[in-house]
């Protein structure tokens, strides 16, 4: 609790609460429109991808791995400063360590590795809002990043490499994308359904999946591939044409339109937000 309280008081960050932009958009159900962008990019850091390969049920049951991972992260954002899952998320990763193929060591709590995982979620919020809600102002970008510093510090991990402002975060992100990420096996597996079709979730029967898959797979492929940065697409060998890019941009522009935003903002909270976000807003008696 002391670690979490400290995270809320540092002057270089912004509050992570019901008035924050991270709260407004991280739990928004339209986030599904960016596909698995954060997860894929996370696993393109070699050390992180290796940790998932060695320690996770990702390959055996992808849906279960995502379910088990994403809930505590949402609780870290939407929990109160005195009751959130940040420290528990950190402690889940204590034993995730091992050897890289070149003989070097990795550990999930290495600050550089841990921050990359967090950065993909922060960039995902920025990308989602700018692509599918409205074009973000410089002030909104700065605010989201300042809020994300509070978010990161709730994990109780060293913040020695935390970029001081949005411009530095953008520089960090571009460097990682241009020179560091690789097509790790875990990432290539995660996007394999773009060309091979999505594996049947264990919770869905075979006959039902035969009906759902012909509709679901093309949509999933479109959102997954369109929602990745061009360099990631190239490294992962994902097919994408100029025509598909134009379709994707028209699709995004439709979602950003004032008419669609007005309709969305008037829908029930059960449609607009996932359960983690709804519980947070209900606790604070706020309707965004």
């Amino acid at each position: 609790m002391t670690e979490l309280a400290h995270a809320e008081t540092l002057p270089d960050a912004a509050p992570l609460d019901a008035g924050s932009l991270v709260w407004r958009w991280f739990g928004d159900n339209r986030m599904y429109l960016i596909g698995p962008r954060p997860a894929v990019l996370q696993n393109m850091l070699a050390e992180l991808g290796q940790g998932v390969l060695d320690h996770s049920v990702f390959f055996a049951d992808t849906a279960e791995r995502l379910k088990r991972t994403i809930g505590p992260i949402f609780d870290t954002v939407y929990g109160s400063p005195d009751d959130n899952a940040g420290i528990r998320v950190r402690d889940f990763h204590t034993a995730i360590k091992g050897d890289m193929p070149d003989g070097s060591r990795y550990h999930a709590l290495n600050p550089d590795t841990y921050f990359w995982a967090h950065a993909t979620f922060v960039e995902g919020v920025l990308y989602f809002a700018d692509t599918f809600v409205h074009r973000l102002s410089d002030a909104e970008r700065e605010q989201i990043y300042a809020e994300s510093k509070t978010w990161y510090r709730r994990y109780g991990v060293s913040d020695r490499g935390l970029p001081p402002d949005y411009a530095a975060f953008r520089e960090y992100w571009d460097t990682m994308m241009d020179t560091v990420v690789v097509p790790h096996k875990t990432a290539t597996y995660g996007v394999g359904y773009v060309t091979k079709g999505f594996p049947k979730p264990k919770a869905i029967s075979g006959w039902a999946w035969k009906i759902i898959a012909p509709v679901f797979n093309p949509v999933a492929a479109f959102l997954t591939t369109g929602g990745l940065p061009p360099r990631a697409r190239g490294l992962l060998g994902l097919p994408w044409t100029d025509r598909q890019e134009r379709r994707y941009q028209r699709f995004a522009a439709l979602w950003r339109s004032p008419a669609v935003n007005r309709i969305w903002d008037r829908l029930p909270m059960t449609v607009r937000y996932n359960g983690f976000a709804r519980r947070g807003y209900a606790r604070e008696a706020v309707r965004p």
Side-chain angles (χ1 to χ4, degrees), residues 20-287:
S20 69
L21 294 180
V22 168
W23 267 47
R24 183 172 183 179
W25 287 321
F26 186 53
D28 188 312
N29 282 327
R30 289 173 295 179
M31 277 282 285
Y32 286 112
L33 295 172
I34 73 171
R37 180 183 177 106
V40 174
L41 296 178
Q42 282 179 23
N43 291 327
M44 292 182 75
L45 181 67
E47 292 83 358
L48 202 155
Q50 193 66 37
V52 172
L53 179 64
D54 291 346
H55 295 273
S56 175
V57 299
F58 180 74
F59 290 90
D61 191 350
T62 304
E64 178 59 28
R65 193 262 175 174
L66 294 174
K67 178 182 177 181
R68 193 165 62 191
T69 301
I70 199 67
I73 294 172
F74 275 116
D75 280 337
T76 301
V77 171
Y78 291 102
S80 68
D82 296 325
D83 181 23
N84 75 69
I87 300 301
R88 293 194 297 276
V89 171
R90 180 199 65 187
D91 291 347
F92 289 160
H93 295 84
T94 302
I96 299 178
K97 54 187 174 181
D99 297 317
M100 297 294 293
D102 65 2
S104 62
R105 298 282 293 169
Y106 72 83
H107 195 297
L109 294 184
N110 177 295
D112 295 334
T113 303
Y114 204 94
F115 182 73
W116 172 247
H118 173 71
T120 64
F121 286 116
V122 177
E123 195 274 344
V125 173
L126 289 158
Y127 176 79
F128 158 68
D130 189 64
T131 304
F132 292 107
V133 181
H134 68 251
R135 293 306 192 190
L136 294 176
S137 67
D138 291 344
E140 286 174 318
R141 295 177 190 277
E142 290 286 358
Q143 181 179 337
I144 289 169
Y145 181 65
E147 293 165 358
S148 80
K149 295 168 82 172
T150 300
W151 175 2
Y152 183 67
R153 286 168 174 151
R154 285 184 175 183
Y155 295 120
V157 177
S158 169
D159 64 355
R160 71 186 187 198
L162 195 63
D165 53 29
Y166 175 74
F169 175 77
R170 190 74 249 176
E171 183 178 357
Y172 160 82
W173 183 265
D174 291 342
T175 298
M176 293 293 291
M177 291 303 305
D178 291 343
T179 64
V180 179
V181 298
V182 296
H184 191 274
K185 177 181 178 180
T186 308
T188 57
Y189 174 86
V191 297
Y193 62 83
V194 167
T195 54
K196 299 176 184 178
F198 200 88
K200 182 187 77 67
K202 290 185 177 181
I204 297 179
S205 66
W207 66 265
W209 187 241
K210 286 181 180 180
I211 297 172
I212 296 169
V215 176
F216 179 84
N217 281 329
V219 173
F222 177 72
L223 295 179
T224 297
T225 311
L228 287 173
R231 175 164 168 75
R233 257 184 243 140
L235 288 172
L236 296 170
L238 295 176
W240 193 250
T241 65
D242 290 342
R243 182 180 180 184
Q244 287 173 307
E245 178 64 19
R246 290 192 296 270
R247 287 175 57 206
Y248 185 84
Q249 294 303 327
R250 289 196 297 269
F251 174 73
L254 174 64
W255 278 97
R256 282 197 312 272
S257 67
V260 170
N261 271 284
R262 281 195 298 271
I263 292 170
W264 183 264
D265 289 344
R266 287 164 175 75
L267 293 175
M269 288 287 285
T270 51
V271 175
R272 295 170 60 202
Y273 284 97
N274 65 35
F276 303 98
R278 294 199 307 272
R279 286 192 291 273
Y281 279 120
R283 184 183 69 245
E284 302 299 321
V286 172
R287 186 184 191 279

